[in-house]
């Protein structure tokens, strides 16, 4: 991390209260725990005084799958939400300006950290604790049903960030979305440029990189679901991936760590984790579309913030999320999803939520020093 001429541990600008550099480092470390497409981690953070600037890193954009940077900005929006939450947990109120300079399109947000004297609310602390617990999931879920009240909690979380969740409650809608996901996966697998891009972001087991989708992050074999949502072929026929028995140990011990009132989900997870059989992880889960009213950089950032808030609420309920972006990356199929299933809104992500059969490993992350610079 470049520190310029900074000689002290505190930074101050104008009338803003001093903020310790260790506080900023910690908040950025929390921010980068956010999910990103193919774990590209397409963000940079600039620090000057009490201001933290979030920038997109275009070198990490998926030029084939994401030529307009939509998913890059969704990823950065998720990091922005974590940054906001991490500052609040540390006693600072984040004042956020999205897209503050039209002539600098990769400057996504300026966040001014304003010290507050009020104690940190318990709700903030509970939500913050989920940042470390949230993990992406690839594959099926246990058959435990997701209670309607939990789905409502997820929907409220999206609403509070300016987005909306639409549940695919109808079997025909779920089947259609699964079919569109499968069609998109076939289209992308027969596209050489796309497969070359996937190679870049799906390294081999010998890799020491701190980005990309590592082999331990996906199963060797994905249980077939009904309806079946196609999985990415990160291994590309090499037989890479986690053993299906990995992560079963300790699952029971984690049951019940969520918030009060999550007993139905947690109890089922605890009861079934003792058997740990492969037949227990073939459920589709609840299928949700994350949509926005608009479809530009502002909407994409807000979709990312909404996504992370939803994911943290889900983690508090003992749930994990699986992402299916294939149909969102094929323009004709994304438009079909919008026309038939989104009430005129713009689909940004297709997600499945459920109780994971085993503990998912944490994704690798680049160190803070690689993504943060203190500006003169």
């Amino acid at each position: 991390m470049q520190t310029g001429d900074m000689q002290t541990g505190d930074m101050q600008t104008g009338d803003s209260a001093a903020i310790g550099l260790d506080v900023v480092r910690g908040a950025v470390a929390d921010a980068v725990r956010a999910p990103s497409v193919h774990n590209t981690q397409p963000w940079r953070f600039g620090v000057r005084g009490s201001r933290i600037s979030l920038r997109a890193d275009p070198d990490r954009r998926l030029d084939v799958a994401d030529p307009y940077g939509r998913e890059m900005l969704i990823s950065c929006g998720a990091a922005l939400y974590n940054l906001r939450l991490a500052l609040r947990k540390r006693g600072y109120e984040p004042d956020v300006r999205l897209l503050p300079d039209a002539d600098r399109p990769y400057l996504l947000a300026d966040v001014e950290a304003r010290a507050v004297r009020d104690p940190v609310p318990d709700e903030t602390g509970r939500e913050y604790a989920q940042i470390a617990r949230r993990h992406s999931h690839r594959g099926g879920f246990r058959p435990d049903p997701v209670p309607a009240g939990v789905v409502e909690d997820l929907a409220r979380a999206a609403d509070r960030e300016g987005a909306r969740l639409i549940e695919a409650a109808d079997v025909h809608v779920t089947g259609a979305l699964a079919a569109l996901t499968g069609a998109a996966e076939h289209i992308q697998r027969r596209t050489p440029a796309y497969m070359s891009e996937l190679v870049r972001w799906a390294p081999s087991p010998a890799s020491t990189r701190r980005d990309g989708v590592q082999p331990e992050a996906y199963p060797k074999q994905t249980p077939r679901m009904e309806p079946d949502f196609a999985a990415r072929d990160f291994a590309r026929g090499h037989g890479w991936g986690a053993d299906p028995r990995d992560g079963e140990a300790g699952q029971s011990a984690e049951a019940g760590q969520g918030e009060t009132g999550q007993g139905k989900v947690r109890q089922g997870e605890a009861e079934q984790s003792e058997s740990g059989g492969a037949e227990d992880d073939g459920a589709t889960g609840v299928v949700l579309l994350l949509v926005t009213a608009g479809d530009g950089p502002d909407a994409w950032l807000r979709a990312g913030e909404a996504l992370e808030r939803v994911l943290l609420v889900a983690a508090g309920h003992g749930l994990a999320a699986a992402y299916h972006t294939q149909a969102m990356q094929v323009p004709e199929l994304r438009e079909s999803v919008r026309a038939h299933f989104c009430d005129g809104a713009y689909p940004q992500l297709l997600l499945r939520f459920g109780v994971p059969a085993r503990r998912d490993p944490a994704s690798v992350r680049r160190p803070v020093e690689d993504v943060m610079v203190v500006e003169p």
Side-chain angles (χ1 to χ4, degrees):
M1 179 179 64
Q2 302 172 13
T3 57
D5 296 327
M6 190 66 63
Q7 299 295 323
T8 66
D10 289 342
M11 299 174 289
Q12 190 168 2
T13 298
D15 295 330
S16 298
I19 180 171
L21 188 55
D22 58 338
V23 172
V24 176
R25 277 200 198 97
V28 171
D30 288 328
V32 302
R33 285 179 176 265
S36 60
V37 56
H38 291 2
N39 197 24
T40 50
Q41 305 172 47
W43 41 60
R44 294 175 179 168
F45 298 85
V47 182
R48 185 178 184 184
S50 58
R51 186 190 68 206
I52 305 172
S53 297
L54 170 63
R55 298 180 176 87
D57 185 347
D59 291 339
R60 291 176 169 270
R61 184 184 64 203
L62 302 177
D63 291 336
V64 179
D66 188 30
Y68 299 106
R70 184 182 62 84
E71 292 188 64
M72 177 177 71
L73 264 63
I74 292 174
S75 303
C76 289
L80 177 60
Y81 185 80
N82 274 2
L83 180 66
R84 290 164 48 199
L85 181 58
L87 287 172
R88 287 195 177 102
K89 179 63 172 65
R90 290 168 170 82
Y92 292 86
E93 182 62 27
D95 293 330
V96 181
R97 292 178 59 214
L98 289 182
L99 304 170
D101 189 341
D103 293 329
R104 302 163 68 190
Y106 294 124
L107 175 58
L108 304 182
D110 280 335
V111 181
E112 193 75 24
R114 177 171 52 83
V116 293
R117 292 191 177 94
D118 295 336
V120 177
D122 291 342
E123 180 183 356
T124 298
R126 288 193 296 268
E127 185 181 14
Y128 173 80
Q130 305 309 320
I131 291 177
R133 293 176 184 161
R134 182 216 65 80
H135 299 303
S136 301
H137 182 74
R138 294 176 176 87
F141 296 109
R142 292 199 180 280
D144 309 61
V146 178
V150 174
V151 177
E152 291 171 1
D153 284 351
L154 303 183
R156 279 192 292 269
D159 288 343
R160 292 178 68 178
E161 297 302 321
R164 189 157 57 98
L165 282 177
I166 297 176
E167 182 179 0
D170 186 291
V171 63
H172 300 296
V173 174
T174 305
L177 291 174
L180 288 168
T181 299
E185 181 68 19
H186 282 298
I187 290 170
Q188 291 180 325
R189 289 193 190 190
R190 69 180 300 274
T191 305
Y194 170 81
M195 293 306 296
S196 295
E197 187 170 72
L198 190 68
V199 168
R200 178 189 176 193
W201 294 105
S204 76
S207 174
T208 59
R209 287 170 47 181
R210 304 297 298 171
D211 58 8
V213 183
Q214 304 288 333
E216 61 268 21
Y218 53 85
K220 284 185 178 180
Q221 292 184 329
T222 302
R224 186 166 182 84
M225 298 165 277
E226 183 56 46
D228 193 52
F229 283 79
R232 300 277 189 187
D233 184 20
F234 292 113
R236 307 182 302 282
H238 292 291
W240 303 333
D243 187 286
R245 293 167 295 183
D246 292 346
E248 289 177 359
Q251 191 77 354
S252 297
E254 292 189 354
Q257 286 185 355
E259 300 174 7
T260 303
Q262 315 320 317
K264 288 186 179 180
V265 175
R266 288 296 190 179
Q267 182 180 359
E269 180 181 352
E271 290 172 350
Q272 297 190 46
S273 62
E274 295 179 1
S275 62
E279 67 276 6
D280 290 334
D281 60 358
T284 300
V286 62
V287 179
L288 301 169
L289 283 163
L290 179 69
V291 305
T292 54
D295 196 37
D298 179 84
W300 302 338
L301 282 170
R302 293 190 184 280
E305 292 180 283
L307 169 66
E308 184 65 354
R309 187 167 194 154
V310 167
L311 295 176
L312 296 181
V313 171
H317 284 283
L319 303 177
Y323 312 86
H324 295 279
T325 59
Q326 296 99 316
M328 304 297 109
Q329 294 173 345
V330 179
E332 300 87 347
L333 298 183
R334 183 179 180 226
E335 181 55 35
S336 180
V337 172
R338 180 184 180 228
H340 294 286
F341 309 118
C342 296
D343 299 327
Y346 292 89
Q348 305 297 346
L349 283 170
L350 174 61
L351 302 142
R352 294 184 297 107
F353 287 91
V355 178
R358 55 191 56 82
R359 185 171 49 209
D360 294 298
S363 298
V364 295
R365 290 294 185 271
R366 293 183 292 158
V368 170
E369 289 75 14
D370 286 3
V371 299
M372 174 177 151
V373 58
V374 176
E375 301 167 343

